[in-house]
């Protein structure tokens, strides 16, 4: 049986990532027990040019216990001895087999270490020689860090992550809070895991999102047999077997073209990160190219059909540093099912065009009844979503959105008033006939929501003032988004949601026709008041607000807007570090 060994040649860089120079393969079946000279030509699948060759002396001998050789694979009964004429400086280099992305989300119920009854916690990570440290959250026992760390995995023995929590003190030694351990090697690859780890010998928990990516890509495309099983699993006849499992999505990241040059050699080392709510996937890195070809297939379970694929492309500078190259956001329902599409990249805020395009293919299967039921439930929290900070331009933009909403309400009120003042006789006559046929009037009740906040004094710090301005900014955004979502529901911006609203209204009309209103209100009240007794872990929710949270606001519609590729790349695209 043929067995091949791959050799990779790199250029050693002290300040940056080692540059890939080419690869070659040795077929063990072609070697003999006597040492012989082997010339291997180097090649790179991304380049069509001559990369030189490497001259080796190789031989294969039977493996015996007295040789003191460690067997890595029991299927290989021989030892390979390789010698190279060019001397190798330094020690033997061990290459990683996987990369772990550890996202530290938050902590809860940590013990107090300060006299004020709080702590200033931060977290230290240690794995072998790699050491990381999170930011400090001041005066809290339930910190929210939202930090991300990258670790390389070499083998099982060196993949234990030691996590320690400390309390920050300015004038004395930091206080130890607690610790926990996690073996990253045992975690399933290419799947995002949400782990709640308790601290050893002390109260408190830490919430992590951990994803392990293999360095070498794996082929995991769905076969026809898999697709047949998925169609059976998400068939309408099996709707109530597993309600939280809405569907299944497959995203193929094919390639990118025309990316921005991020390195001084006029090239980039791009890789692609795909996120769907809290799930995360990452491609391999293609070195020294502006037109990478990944051909990676990722699969995601769909928990909410209204989730959005967030696709970001970065330039890899070293293990932890990366530089942003482009981004695109695609809602699942907006993706053309099973069709390869090319999208123009946008900037980090999804507002302007940036250099490059990305080619992907989205395929998904879902149960529409489960998706409709899930739409009326609370939306899953996105743990690593950045908190909005106060910005003058954003505050002014929210003011303008609220003002446009008020103008729409005023215009609607003037239209209704004109029907009663007979400014337009035809319109008033139609309104009179409709009112006469209904035989009743519907009074609209306006519910004023009072938002109370403690007014900061003039002696408070500037950060407190900034916090108040941020709250005002978020309140304006909530009001404007609420009105825009209601408008977009009736404008059929998302047909699935609009059809769902029509079906619900039809069901409500039929129920009100056959059952008295007082009985319905009585049953609704009994259900609301007894739900906590029947389901102790029940999370209170408002079905109408949950539905509207799936409808995109005008800002989100602009973020999801697809820029035509014919528009070209921006002229003022500068390199940013």
């Amino acid at each position: 049986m043929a067995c091949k060994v791959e050799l990779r040649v790199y250029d050693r860089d002290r300040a940056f990532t080692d540059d890939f120079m080419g690869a070659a393969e040795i077929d063990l079946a072609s070697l003999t027990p006597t040492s012989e000279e082997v010339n291997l030509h180097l090649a790179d699948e991304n380049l069509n040019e001559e990369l030189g060759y490497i001259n080796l002396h190789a031989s294969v001998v039977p493996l015996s216990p007295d040789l003191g050789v460690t067997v890595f694979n029991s299927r290989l009964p021989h030892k390979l001895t390789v010698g190279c004429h060019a001397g190798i400086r330094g020690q033997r280099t061990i290459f990683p087999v996987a990369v772990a992305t550890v996202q530290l989300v938050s902590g809860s119920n940590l013990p107090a270490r300060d006299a004020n009854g709080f702590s200033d916690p931060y977290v230290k990570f240690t794995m072998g020689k790699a050491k990381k440290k999170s930011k400090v959250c001041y005066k809290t026992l339930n910190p929210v860090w939202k930090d991300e760390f990258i670790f390389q995995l070499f083998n099982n023995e060196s993949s234990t992550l030691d996590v320690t929590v400390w309390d920050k003190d300015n004038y004395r030694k930091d206080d130890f809070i607690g610790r926990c351990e996690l073996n990253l090697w045992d975690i399933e690859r290419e799947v995002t895991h949400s782990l709640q780890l308790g601290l050893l010998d002390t109260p408190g928990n830490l919430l992590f999102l951990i994803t392990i990516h293999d360095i070498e890509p794996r082929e995991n495309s769905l076969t026809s047999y898999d697709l047949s099983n998925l169609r059976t699993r998400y068939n309408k006849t099996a709707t109530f077997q597993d309600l939280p499992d809405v569907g299944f999505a497959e995203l193929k990241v094919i390639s990118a073209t025309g990316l921005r040059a991020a390195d001084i050699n006029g090239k980039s080392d791009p890789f692609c990160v795909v996120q769907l709510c809290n799930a995360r996937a990452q491609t391999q890195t293609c070195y020294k190219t502006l037109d990478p070809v990944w051909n990676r297939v990722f699969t995601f379970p769909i928990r909410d059909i209204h989730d959005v694929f967030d696709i970001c492309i970065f330039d890899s500078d070293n293990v932890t540093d990366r530089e942003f190259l482009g981004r695109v956001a695609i809602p699942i329902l907006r993706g053309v099912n099973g069709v390869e599409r090319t999208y123009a990249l946008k900037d980090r805020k999804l507002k302007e065009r940036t250099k490059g395009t990305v080619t992907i293919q989205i395929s998904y299967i879902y149960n529409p009844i489960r998706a409709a039921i899930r739409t009326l439930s609370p939306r899953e929290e996105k743990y690593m979503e950045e908190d909005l900070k106060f910005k003058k331009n954003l505050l002014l933009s929210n003011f303008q959105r609220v003002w446009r909403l008020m103008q729409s309400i005023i215009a609607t009120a003037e239209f209704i008033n004109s029907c009663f003042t007979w400014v337009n006789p035809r319109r008033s006559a139609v309104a009179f006939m409709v009112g006469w046929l209904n035989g009743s009037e519907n009074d609209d009740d306006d519910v004023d929501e009072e938002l109370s906040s403690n007014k900061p004094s003039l002696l408070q710090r500037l950060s407190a003032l900034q916090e108040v301005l941020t709250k005002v900014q978020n309140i304006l955004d909530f009001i404007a988004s609420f009105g825009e979502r209601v408008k977009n529901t009736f404008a059929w911006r998302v047909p699935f949601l609009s059809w769902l609203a029509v079906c619900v209204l039809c069901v409500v009309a039929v129920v009100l026709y056959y059952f008295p209103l007082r009985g319905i209100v009585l049953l609704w009240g009994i259900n609301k008041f007894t739900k906590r007794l029947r389901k102790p872990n029940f999370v209170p929710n408002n079905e109408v607000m949950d539905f509207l949270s799936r409808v995109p606001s005008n800002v989100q519609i602009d973020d999801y807007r697809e820029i035509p590729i014919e528009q070209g790349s921006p002229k003022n695209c500068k390199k940013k570090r």
Side-chain angles (χ1 to χ4, degrees):
M1 182 178 67
C3 180
K4 295 182 179 180
V5 176
E6 184 180 21
L7 287 81
R8 290 174 173 263
V9 181
Y10 289 86
D11 171 54
R12 174 67 175 174
D13 287 336
R14 294 184 180 274
F16 303 96
T17 304
D18 295 347
D19 297 324
F20 178 69
M21 300 178 62
E25 290 184 346
I26 298 179
D27 189 358
L28 298 184
S30 63
L31 300 180
T32 61
T34 59
S35 179
E36 59 181 353
E37 184 176 343
V38 179
N39 291 326
L40 301 176
H41 288 271
L42 300 178
D44 187 352
E45 59 181 8
N46 296 323
L47 297 176
N48 294 323
E49 60 184 26
E50 181 65 30
L51 300 179
Y53 66 93
I54 183 171
N55 191 338
L56 304 174
H57 274 202
S59 62
V60 59
V61 295
L63 181 64
S64 58
D66 56 346
L67 290 177
V69 179
T70 301
V71 181
F72 293 98
N73 193 334
S74 60
R75 293 177 296 176
L76 304 179
H78 298 86
K79 183 191 76 170
L80 176 65
T81 305
V82 179
C84 183
H85 283 297
I88 301 177
R89 296 178 298 174
Q91 298 179 352
R92 180 172 57 92
T93 302
I94 301 177
F95 295 100
V97 297
V99 175
T101 302
V102 179
Q103 295 173 319
L104 174 63
V105 180
S106 62
S108 59
N109 302 322
L110 299 182
R113 289 292 185 264
D114 295 336
N116 58 6
F118 293 99
S119 295
D120 304 323
Y122 68 95
V123 180
K124 290 182 179 179
F125 298 90
T126 304
M127 190 176 71
K129 296 182 179 180
K131 296 182 179 181
K132 312 286 184 181
K133 180 181 176 181
S134 73
K135 63 184 179 182
V136 181
C137 294
Y138 293 96
K139 293 184 179 180
T140 179
L141 300 180
N142 300 288
V144 178
W145 290 287
K146 295 185 178 180
D147 285 345
E148 181 177 303
F149 306 95
I150 306 296
F151 296 93
Q152 292 182 326
L153 304 184
F154 298 91
N155 50 53
N156 187 16
E157 290 75 14
S158 62
S159 298
T160 300
L161 181 65
D162 184 69
V163 183
T164 56
V165 186
W166 299 82
D167 170 59
K168 179 69 175 178
D169 289 322
N170 293 327
Y171 302 107
R172 55 192 179 91
K173 187 177 179 181
D174 295 347
D175 297 325
F176 177 76
I177 295 180
R179 65 179 297 271
C180 59
E181 285 187 353
L182 179 64
N183 190 347
L184 299 180
W185 191 267
D186 297 335
I187 297 178
E188 183 183 358
R189 308 287 174 88
E190 308 297 342
V191 177
T192 300
H193 303 269
S194 177
L195 302 179
Q196 185 94 18
L197 300 182
L199 300 179
L200 301 177
D201 301 327
T202 187
N205 300 285
L206 298 179
L207 177 61
F208 294 93
L209 292 178
I210 300 179
T211 311
I212 312 296
H213 309 285
D214 287 313
I215 296 295
E216 294 295 332
R218 295 181 178 181
E219 183 63 31
N220 57 348
S221 300
L222 296 178
T223 63
S224 58
Y225 177 77
D226 297 330
L227 292 175
S228 177
N229 289 338
L230 288 173
R231 292 190 182 96
T232 304
R233 180 177 178 180
Y234 299 111
N235 193 283
K236 295 179 181 179
T237 57
T239 296
F240 298 100
Q241 293 181 2
D242 189 5
L243 285 178
D245 189 10
V246 174
F248 182 87
E250 180 186 76
L251 176 68
K252 183 177 183 180
V253 184
I254 301 173
S255 63
T257 57
L259 298 178
R260 176 172 60 86
D263 298 335
I264 58 177
N265 59 2
K267 300 291 184 179
S268 294
D269 304 324
F271 66 94
C272 183
V273 175
V274 181
Q275 289 182 314
L276 183 67
C277 195
N278 291 317
R280 187 183 189 276
Q282 179 177 324
T283 68
Q284 72 277 15
T285 302
C286 295
Y287 294 96
K288 290 186 178 182
T289 179
L290 301 180
D291 304 307
V293 178
W294 294 293
N295 284 326
R296 288 295 299 272
V297 178
F298 303 109
T299 57
F300 299 89
I302 299 178
R303 303 301 180 186
D304 193 337
I305 195 61
H306 309 290
D307 283 338
V308 180
F309 280 113
D310 191 356
I311 303 171
C312 296
I313 299 179
F314 298 93
D315 170 66
S316 176
D317 289 334
N318 52 46
V319 178
T320 57
D321 294 340
R322 60 188 185 185
E323 184 176 350
F324 178 81
L325 297 179
R327 180 186 180 190
V328 63
I330 308 170
I332 295 177
L333 291 177
R334 280 200 176 189
V336 183
N337 198 355
V339 178
E340 182 178 316
R341 293 286 303 275
T342 300
Y343 297 88
L345 295 176
K346 298 182 182 180
D347 59 7
R348 192 182 295 270
K349 297 181 180 179
L350 296 172
K351 301 301 181 185
E352 302 294 337
R353 174 83 157 88
T354 190
K355 291 189 66 175
T357 61
V358 60
T359 302
I360 63 173
Q361 179 178 326
I362 300 176
S363 303
Y364 55 89
I365 301 174
Y366 72 99
N367 186 299
I369 301 178
R370 294 182 190 173
I373 297 174
R374 183 69 181 86
T375 302
L376 302 179
S377 303
R379 197 161 195 172
E380 182 181 355
E381 178 185 2
K382 194 172 182 180
Y383 293 126
M384 297 301 293
E385 187 174 15
E386 296 181 0
D387 296 330
L388 291 177
K389 298 180 180 179
F390 171 72
K391 295 181 180 179
K392 179 181 176 181
N393 294 336
L394 184 57
L395 180 62
L396 295 177
S397 175
N398 290 342
F399 267 120
Q400 294 175 357
R401 292 169 60 198
V402 174
W403 175 244
R404 287 194 295 267
L405 178 63
M406 295 301 297
Q407 286 180 324
S408 301
I409 295 175
I410 292 173
T412 304
E414 290 178 351
F415 175 82
I416 296 174
N417 185 54
S418 66
C419 294
F420 296 97
T421 56
W422 292 83
V423 175
N424 188 328
R426 181 180 300 177
R427 181 192 306 165
S428 300
V430 172
F432 176 77
M433 292 299 297
V434 172
W436 181 76
L437 291 174
N438 288 336
S440 62
E441 294 183 357
N442 293 326
D443 296 329
D444 293 329
D445 296 330
D446 295 331
V447 179
D448 298 329
E449 182 178 354
E450 297 181 357
L451 298 173
S452 60
S453 60
N454 295 326
K455 183 179 180 181
S457 65
L458 296 177
L459 300 179
Q460 287 182 326
R461 296 177 300 176
L462 184 61
S463 59
L465 176 60
Q466 184 177 1
E467 182 180 355
V468 173
L469 292 175
T470 304
K471 289 182 179 180
V472 174
Q473 172 184 282
N474 294 339
I475 290 172
L476 292 175
D477 177 70
F478 173 79
I479 296 173
S481 298
F482 180 83
E484 291 168 356
R485 288 187 170 110
V486 173
K487 178 182 176 182
N488 292 334
T489 301
F490 292 98
W492 292 78
R493 291 288 189 178
V494 183
F496 180 88
L497 293 172
S498 298
W499 277 115
L500 178 61
V502 170
C503 294
V504 171
L505 291 177
C506 291
V507 172
V508 171
V510 172
V511 171
L512 290 176
Y513 181 80
Y514 286 102
F515 300 95
L517 179 60
R518 64 182 67 181
I520 297 175
V521 173
L522 181 62
L523 292 176
W524 175 83
I526 294 174
N527 177 66
K528 282 290 184 182
F529 280 104
T530 61
K531 186 169 289 187
R532 177 69 68 178
L533 298 176
R534 292 182 283 111
K535 299 179 180 179
N537 297 326
F538 167 72
V539 178
N541 68 304
N542 187 313
E543 288 78 6
V544 176
M545 298 302 297
D546 292 335
F547 171 84
L548 291 177
S549 67
R550 268 71 172 194
V551 182
S553 63
N554 290 349
V555 175
Q556 292 174 320
I557 290 177
D558 186 62
D559 292 343
Y560 305 152
R561 177 176 55 91
E562 183 178 348
I563 299 179
I565 300 177
E566 293 77 10
Q567 181 175 325
S569 299
K571 297 181 181 180
N572 56 347
C573 184
K574 297 182 180 180
K575 178 180 177 181
K576 295 182 180 180
R577 285 283 182 184

